[in-house]
Amino acid sequence: MTSARPDSAGPVTASPPGTRWPARAAGRVRLPRQPLVRNLILLIAGAAFFYVLTTSVSTYNDFQIGEIALYAVVLAGLSLLTGHNGQFSLGHGAFMIVGGYTLALLQAYDPMNLALELVIATAAAAVAGVVVGMPAARLSAPYLAGVTLLLALALPQLAAQYGVFGGEQGLTTTPPIAPGSLNSQQWLAWIEILCALLVVLVLSNLLRSRFGRAFRAVRDDEVAAALSGIHVARTKVLAFSISAACAGLGGALLALSVGVVNTGEFPLSLSIALLAAMVLGGAGSLIGIWWGAVALVYMSTWATSLSKQLALGTSASAYLSDAIFGAVLIVAMLAAPTGIQGGVRWVLRRLWALVIGGPPTARAPGAQAAGGRAAGARASGREVAAASANAGSAGPAFADGSPTMQSTGPSRHTEEDRA
Amino acid sequence: MRRRGRRPVLYRSWVAVGAASVVLLAACGAGVGWTSGAGAASTTGVTKSSITIGATVPLTGPAAPGYSEIAPAMDAVFKWVNAHGGVYGRKIKYIYLNDKYDPSTTAKLTRKLVLTDHIFADVGSLGTPTDLAIQKYLHAEKVPHLFIESGCNCWSTSKYPEELGWQPPYTTDGKILGMYIKTHFPGKKIGELYQDTEFGKDFMKGIQMEVPASAIVSKQSYDVTTLAGAMTTQMAALQAAGAQVVAMATIPAATALAMLPAYAIGYTPQYVVDNVGADAPTVGPLLSSFTQLATKTSSKAAAAPGLLNGVITNIYMPAESTATNPWIKVEKAILEKYTTTTVWKKHGLDGNTEYGVALGYTFVQALQAAGKNLTRTSLMHALDTKAKSFHTPGLVPLRYSTKVHYGYMGSEVVQETTAAGTFKTPAGTWPSTKVLSPVYTTTTGRGPVKKYTGKVPSVPKALAKLAG
């Protein structure tokens, strides 16, 4: 049984079309480390891509690419929370505040290595996530959304209230000094990109592990998940805390990038825009978040130049970007309900079918319901839950190694969680 | 060994990685050609025939009402200059972008201005939190950060030598009005109403330097981010404490939201309001529209601006109502001819458009003083050494020196004598302003409030011609 490790048997999520396997593929058991290897390859390819990109565009574009990366960090956490754990947060800007202010306070009172500062800022947001997540774990979706909304409204007020946070002016941050003759904007962008790629690497491995499966099991059916031995509240708090940590890291990077943290920097509209961008990219997809981040950074730029071409007044042009964002969101939801990434995947699959000549959809039947609905993450999550539910209803008689249990392994979670 | 399902998977992975590599290699090859090694020998943003400058200002959002008029008014001055051949043959191109008063947007847009628009200087960016967000960046890029539209006590530091304030710091406003209260209302009970930000706190710091602590009977504040309704609680507290004089550091909307409920509960103290929130052509219409909203009675709405009658404030530029003042004539002429009709017809010359014209003209004077060979260094040198002789609309000359980077450090105390009536700008009923004191100057620190005895800057001939 050594080969049937929990982290190798689970279905794969949010991956290119070529790498999705049906849960029944028992042969997969023999390649325990492959997701990690593949992710590392992708990470290096991504790093190479960004290196070439940042060195060939203008300094201002470097700044924007850095911004895309920092929003990708936040969206990755939000995507995990909503796409994989089914929880909604309307106030992720609040955790960005925690991360941003932590970094600024560290730099003001106890300057240290930037990497360490970023880690501490991330940890602070993770702790905040646990504190908020604990009571929130008892709440169902709309109420949790309400709590987080309240947090996003209240936290800036608190920060403005106490002198240590610098009031309305906030606290300034020191941008990292670029080594040698390197452009400081480019250096900052690289730091942001590195953070984003690492976050995506960690999260994509996490989502393939038993934690990821537990997240999805809880999302699909809490009762079934509980019956199969998953500690529902703990799982929800964990997911919330991880996503808060991502937001904290993103907030710290934003503080570095802007050069100052103050309460005006994290308005409620930011939290809402984050959620919208995450949905636009494709909830649960770690590739989709990049589409969302690009939309967040470039939408207003495009809208401004568009309104200039149309010779609209200043107020019209200011609201045009929001209007376009909303319109794009509506169109995307109609055309590709699983977000841009879902749509891209669908197109790629069609192209693949044309090239190969056969419908690749046969490989993962659960994932193919009605094309656009086909996010692998959701479908495979459902399989887990369904298996869990089966296991639960069938009672302990199957818990000693029936085929179902081997391929999805929820009972193993039980044993390991309690060990 | 079961290998079922494995091979196709691997194939696909390698195909994907291979394809990605090809794309990357192609990108690398192309990338070499893209990198440009531009190294302009001349000053950024300055050519033989043009000067490009930029700013970030709120054109929409909560801070926009009033403040959105400033940049177009500045641009009117530049258009007038450009129409007359520019400064040393260079025409001024002013790019002002809408940051909605959001610091992260300010940071983003300022990078755009510096990196893609290649501005020579950042001139007239608005707001304390927003300008703080860009001070380090502009310093690192060595871009002059001029005439920041904020009275924060934070712009004059040796750490940021290319940074200049312009309007009087709030603490100096507080000291001058505080001294007036001390000498003209001795023994009266004083109350405070202030915005709970640096603006309000700095102003009250000035008040408290002059007014004895025992005279202050109540301190009330409001939170600008939740400023939505009438401040009945605060005004009732001031009334209960028996405050006969209320010193206020409020933005225009807050001034109106304080006076209306006070009037409703029969509380009519002597108001002493910082110039930020006392501009009659700005506050008057607000009083009207709030009353209209609350009572739906046009006659009451028309009468509401009358509440401003008797309000004491300070001004550092000639009052808009003194139609015979040569500066006012010139300002009106520039606005009428060189702004879009909406700005002129809607606002005419009010506190914000006057501010914009004066600030724009300050920059023109700085360019003239910097001379033909314009560089960032020559501009900063001119501001540090020659600003005291600039002809700008201030009641006192600009104060800039190598040590002080605040602009106007003096003002006079005035009283609004607003008759109940409508505000129709630019023509129509205008509030008039009664001057109560000589012009005073002071510092942000403990220095005394002194009477200004020097010359008041006059209108240069080229400008005077414009007004006819």
Side-chain angles (χ1 to χ4, degrees):
Chain A
M1 284 302 288
T2 46
S3 63
R5 297 165 61 116
D7 62 348
S8 62
V12 179
T13 60
S15 51
T19 47
R20 196 185 303 107
W21 302 281
R24 63 174 164 76
R28 288 288 310 118
V29 168
R30 315 195 115 262
L31 296 164
R33 293 286 172 206
Q34 218 212 334
L36 181 62
V37 173
R38 205 203 45 236
N39 287 341
L40 273 173
I41 292 173
L42 283 175
L43 174 89
I44 292 165
F49 168 75
F50 276 115
Y51 176 76
V52 172
L53 191 65
T54 48
T55 46
S56 44
V57 296
S58 75
T59 317
Y60 179 58
N61 288 331
D62 282 346
F63 174 75
Q64 287 183 315
I65 292 166
E67 275 202 310
I68 290 174
L70 81 84
Y71 283 122
V73 171
V74 184
L75 292 178
L78 205 55
S79 195
L80 173 142
L81 185 72
T82 307
H84 292 266
N85 198 227
Q87 302 190 70
F88 286 91
S89 170
L90 284 177
H92 252 45
F95 299 108
M96 293 180 75
I97 295 181
V98 173
Y101 272 92
T102 306
L103 181 99
L105 285 171
L106 280 173
Q107 289 196 334
Y109 294 103
D110 189 14
M112 51 184 93
N113 183 297
L114 179 67
L116 202 58
E117 287 170 351
L118 288 173
V119 168
I120 296 175
T122 311
V127 171
V130 172
V131 172
V132 177
M134 283 221 276
R138 298 166 180 275
L139 302 174
S140 57
Y143 301 100
L144 174 64
V147 168
T148 51
L149 184 70
L150 211 66
L151 197 68
L153 279 170
L155 225 51
Q157 299 295 319
L158 270 179
Q161 209 55 234
Y162 297 100
V164 66
F165 299 117
E168 184 201 26
Q169 298 174 17
L171 303 164
T172 53
T173 59
T174 314
I177 298 156
S181 60
L182 205 67
N183 182 315
S184 62
Q185 250 1 291
Q186 211 171 58
W187 179 240
L188 183 64
W190 286 355
I191 291 174
E192 288 164 332
I193 290 164
L194 184 71
C195 288
L197 291 175
L198 284 178
V199 163
V200 169
L201 177 76
V202 168
L203 289 196
S204 63
N205 283 307
L206 185 87
L207 288 174
R208 280 165 182 75
S209 73
R210 67 190 173 86
F211 293 107
R213 285 192 299 279
F215 291 163
R216 292 185 288 277
V218 167
R219 174 196 67 192
D220 287 341
D221 194 331
E222 287 190 14
V223 176
L227 279 172
S228 51
I230 295 171
H231 195 302
V232 172
R234 202 182 292 161
T235 307
K236 283 171 99 173
V237 173
L238 181 70
F240 199 83
S241 172
I242 291 171
S243 104
C246 292
L249 179 58
L253 291 173
L254 183 67
L256 273 184
S257 159
V258 171
V260 69
V261 267
N262 51 41
T263 52
E265 208 170 310
F266 307 93
L268 186 62
S269 56
L270 173 67
S271 297
I272 309 287
L274 285 171
L275 193 68
M278 186 267 292
V279 173
L280 181 67
S285 164
L286 290 178
I287 301 174
I289 55 167
W290 294 93
W291 300 112
V294 168
L296 270 183
V297 173
Y298 277 102
M299 200 67 89
S300 63
T301 316
W302 291 332
T304 310
S305 55
L306 179 70
S307 59
K308 212 170 262 173
Q309 279 168 10
L310 299 176
L312 295 174
T314 41
S315 43
S317 75
Y319 298 116
L320 190 65
S321 76
D322 291 340
I324 292 179
F325 200 96
V328 167
L329 195 64
I330 292 170
V331 170
M333 289 302 99
L334 288 173
T338 45
I340 295 179
Q341 186 54 25
V344 168
R345 231 181 260 151
W346 183 80
V347 170
L348 283 179
R349 213 170 21 243
R350 280 297 158 100
L351 285 176
W352 192 257
L354 281 178
V355 173
I356 299 293
T361 50
R363 297 178 64 83
Q368 303 311 321
R373 213 10 230 99
R378 270 205 93 79
S380 47
R382 276 180 195 268
E383 283 165 26
V384 175
S388 316
N390 288 341
S393 55
F398 288 93
D400 55 348
S402 72
T404 317
M405 302 318 293
Q406 269 194 13
S407 61
T408 55
S411 73
R412 236 153 256 289
H413 300 170
T414 318
E415 288 152 24
E416 282 170 20
D417 283 347
R418 292 187 182 152
Chain B
M1 289 278 127
R2 293 185 297 172
R3 302 178 72 93
R4 153 171 76 120
R6 183 177 166 191
R7 187 169 291 166
V9 167
L10 269 181
Y11 270 144
R12 286 205 203 166
S13 291
W14 289 115
V15 168
V17 171
S21 315
V22 170
V23 172
L24 270 177
L25 281 173
C28 285
V32 179
W34 292 346
T35 324
S36 63
S42 60
T43 300
T44 311
V46 179
T47 68
K48 260 197 172 137
S49 60
S50 75
I51 302 164
T52 308
I53 56 171
T56 47
V57 293
L59 298 177
T60 56
Y67 295 156
S68 62
E69 305 159 28
I70 298 175
M74 272 175 78
D75 205 22
V77 178
F78 302 147
K79 281 183 183 145
W80 165 73
V81 168
N82 293 347
H84 292 77
V87 183
Y88 294 110
R90 298 186 181 101
K91 298 199 169 166
I92 302 167
K93 191 182 165 203
Y94 188 42
I95 308 169
Y96 53 95
L97 303 175
N98 181 12
D99 68 358
K100 306 176 196 174
Y101 209 70
D102 163 23
S104 56
T105 310
T106 315
K108 194 196 299 190
L109 295 177
T110 302
R111 278 160 178 89
K112 183 184 176 305
L113 288 171
V114 171
L115 298 171
T116 68
D117 297 320
H118 304 290
I119 53 166
F120 169 63
D122 185 295
V123 184
S125 286
L126 190 143
T128 304
T130 43
D131 275 282
L132 282 170
I134 54 176
Q135 64 175 177
K136 262 188 193 164
Y137 176 69
L138 291 176
H139 175 62
E141 297 284 337
K142 305 205 166 38
V143 178
H145 188 187
L146 305 181
F147 316 143
I148 299 166
E149 293 171 5
S150 150
C152 178
N153 291 354
C154 41
W155 307 123
S156 181
T157 68
S158 54
K159 213 170 145 192
Y160 301 108
E162 57 285 281
E163 185 177 270
L164 266 75
W166 185 77
Q167 72 191 71
Y170 303 127
T171 306
T172 62
D173 285 345
K175 280 171 78 178
I176 289 169
L177 286 174
M179 196 210 63
Y180 187 84
I181 293 172
K182 185 176 67 181
T183 43
H184 290 83
F185 302 102
K188 293 267 168 83
K189 290 180 180 171
I190 318 290
E192 291 182 358
L193 177 70
Y194 62 97
Q195 179 168 311
D196 195 10
T197 61
E198 302 309 314
F199 158 46
K201 289 176 199 163
D202 284 354
F203 177 83
M204 289 308 167
K205 222 185 275 171
I207 290 276
Q208 284 153 17
M209 280 184 207
E210 296 293 328
V211 175
S214 57
I216 299 171
V217 291
S218 177
K219 294 180 183 181
Q220 299 297 318
S221 67
Y222 70 93
D223 180 357
V224 68
T225 52
T226 54
L227 177 69
M231 286 189 254
T232 317
T233 327
Q234 288 95 327
M235 300 318 284
L238 288 166
Q239 188 186 32
Q244 295 154 300
V245 177
V246 176
M248 307 213 300
T250 45
I251 57 172
T255 311
L257 290 172
M259 285 179 176
L260 288 170
Y263 179 73
I265 58 173
Y267 178 44
T268 49
Q270 172 64 54
Y271 293 109
V272 179
V273 188
D274 180 54
N275 61 69
V276 168
D279 179 48
T282 309
V283 182
L286 285 172
L287 283 166
S288 272
S289 62
F290 291 160
T291 310
Q292 177 73 40
L293 276 175
T295 64
K296 313 262 183 259
T297 320
S298 344
S299 59
K300 280 186 185 168
L307 287 177
L308 282 173
N309 195 32
V311 166
I312 291 172
T313 183
N314 68 324
I315 54 174
Y316 54 96
M317 288 186 288
E320 306 98 313
S321 56
T322 50
T324 50
N325 181 299
W327 277 112
I328 295 294
K329 278 193 201 162
V330 166
E331 285 162 3
K332 280 185 178 170
I334 289 179
L335 285 170
E336 188 169 7
K337 204 160 173 200
Y338 295 99
T339 57
T340 58
T341 45
T342 39
V343 172
W344 172 244
K345 283 204 178 123
K346 215 167 145 195
H347 307 290
L349 183 72
D350 65 7
N352 294 304
T353 47
E354 180 180 22
Y355 187 111
V357 171
L359 202 146
Y361 196 66
T362 308
F363 184 66
V364 173
Q365 289 268 292
L367 287 180
Q368 286 175 329
K372 212 170 165 48
N373 295 323
L374 181 65
T375 62
R376 284 171 175 164
T377 323
S378 75
L379 181 78
M380 292 312 293
H381 182 72
L383 280 162
D384 281 347
T385 56
K386 298 179 193 163
K388 282 171 184 151
S389 59
F390 285 6
H391 291 269
T392 64
L395 297 178
V396 292
L398 289 158
R399 180 71 176 270
Y400 301 127
S401 71
T402 46
K403 291 213 175 93
V404 177
H405 274 184
Y406 293 122
Y408 299 123
M409 300 275 281
S411 54
E412 64 185 12
V413 181
V414 296
Q415 187 164 34
E416 306 282 0
T417 49
T418 313
T422 49
F423 281 79
K424 281 183 198 156
T425 51
T429 321
W430 276 78
S432 58
T433 310
K434 196 166 90 189
V435 176
L436 297 181
S437 80
V439 178
Y440 291 112
T441 62
T442 187
T443 62
T444 53
R446 290 257 154 216
V449 178
K450 282 188 284 197
K451 206 160 140 183
Y452 177 70
T453 50
K455 273 201 297 187
V456 177
S458 61
V459 181
K461 273 189 194 134
L463 260 184
K465 243 191 276 170
L466 182 76

